[in-house]
Amino acid sequence: MLPGAFGALPADAQAQLQSAGRAGRWSRGGLLFHPEDAAQTLFIVVRGAVRLYRLGAGAREVTLDVHGPGELLGVNSLMPGARYGMYAESMDETEALLLGQDVLSRVRQSHPAVAVALGEQLTRQTRGVQERLSGLVFLEVSQRLALALLNLAEREGGWPPGGTLALKDRVSHQDLAHVVGSTRETITKLLGDFRTRGLLDIGYRRIVLTDKDGLTRAMQEPLR
């Protein structure tokens, strides 16, 4: 079954999508596409996480967004003649379903529900971008970090009642910096503060969340 909005499609529509597309796999650090590449393929993330970024002044990488299972990459492929305009980098072991423009057009015609699912997913991602921009403006870095950790927990199926949650995915401090829109040094300091407050424990590229209510409060109010 496909993740996200596509998981609600009828079984025959999902089967046609999967048979018509092709599977792609990338290791951590692999590039799915470059800015100058012609946008001819739409990607549906099936597993893993992908960072979208551009190069700013001094070749500094500026993270635009991070996408996980069920989300779309390369949406410029829905516009004829466009280029991707950004880099897409795998943040861990990633799988995606690749749909060329002709294939996608045929599937949308034979299964109108696919077009509806595309529209729903694009709407979700647009709302996500708006929330990310709002967070960058109105939330302190500590609040954005707490929110990112809670979102990671939700992505892994939610928090066990009254327990702790060890994040299954390998998450580095740099990964969190990309997600939050900060620097690795700042994230390392804040994770140390969170640990001191009993909100989490830290191992090598492994984070164990220990206090959901505390993280929720840290998301609502900056650390003092």
Side-chain angles (χ1 to χ4, degrees):
M1 177 178 289
L2 292 171
F6 302 96
L9 289 171
D12 59 335
Q14 291 193 52
Q16 185 171 353
L17 266 178
Q18 290 175 305
S19 62
R22 58 187 177 90
R25 294 177 177 83
W26 297 265
S27 299
R28 181 181 178 87
L31 290 176
L32 284 70
F33 51 75
H34 297 74
E36 66 275 11
D37 292 344
Q40 298 177 339
T41 303
L42 182 72
F43 299 69
I44 302 175
V45 181
V46 176
R47 181 172 70 93
V50 177
R51 177 174 71 106
L52 302 179
Y53 70 93
R54 289 178 178 154
L55 296 180
R60 174 175 171 267
E61 295 180 2
V62 179
T63 299
L64 305 174
D65 212 341
V66 175
H67 290 304
E71 297 189 307
L72 301 172
L73 304 172
V75 295
N76 283 2
S77 62
L78 300 174
M79 301 180 292
R83 298 187 182 278
Y84 288 118
M86 62 191 72
Y87 294 93
E89 178 189 45
S90 173
M91 296 179 68
D92 48 29
E93 296 298 317
T94 298
E95 295 181 16
L97 181 65
L98 283 61
L99 299 165
Q101 292 172 331
D102 292 342
V103 168
L104 186 59
S105 178
R106 289 198 303 271
V107 175
R108 289 163 71 182
Q109 289 175 5
S110 59
H111 290 281
V114 171
V116 175
L118 279 171
E120 289 178 357
Q121 187 58 45
L122 285 170
T123 300
R124 290 180 188 180
Q125 291 183 207
T126 299
R127 185 167 62 245
V129 170
Q130 293 170 343
E131 291 173 354
R132 175 178 167 81
L133 290 174
S134 177
L136 288 172
V137 174
F138 297 110
L139 298 181
E140 298 289 339
V141 178
S142 63
Q143 293 174 278
R144 301 202 301 270
L145 177 58
L147 176 60
L149 292 171
L150 289 169
N151 285 341
L152 285 172
E154 189 66 27
R155 195 175 86 181
E156 295 197 4
W159 207 296
T164 62
L165 176 65
L167 297 179
K168 298 174 185 175
D169 291 339
R170 183 180 66 175
V171 182
S172 70
H173 295 191
Q174 185 62 64
D175 292 338
L176 287 171
H178 288 321
V179 172
V180 169
S182 184
T183 64
R184 182 181 59 79
E185 293 77 13
T186 298
I187 294 302
T188 297
K189 179 180 182 303
L190 284 173
L191 287 173
D193 291 343
F194 280 17
R195 184 178 188 178
T196 300
R197 294 166 185 259
L199 304 183
L200 52 78
D201 199 3
I202 305 171
Y204 177 68
R205 287 195 172 179
R206 186 167 180 81
I207 296 175
V208 180
L209 306 181
T210 57
D211 186 351
K212 180 180 181 181
D213 291 339
L215 282 171
T216 301
R217 288 191 296 271
M219 176 190 70
Q220 296 168 340
E221 295 288 341
L223 293 185
R224 302 298 183 193

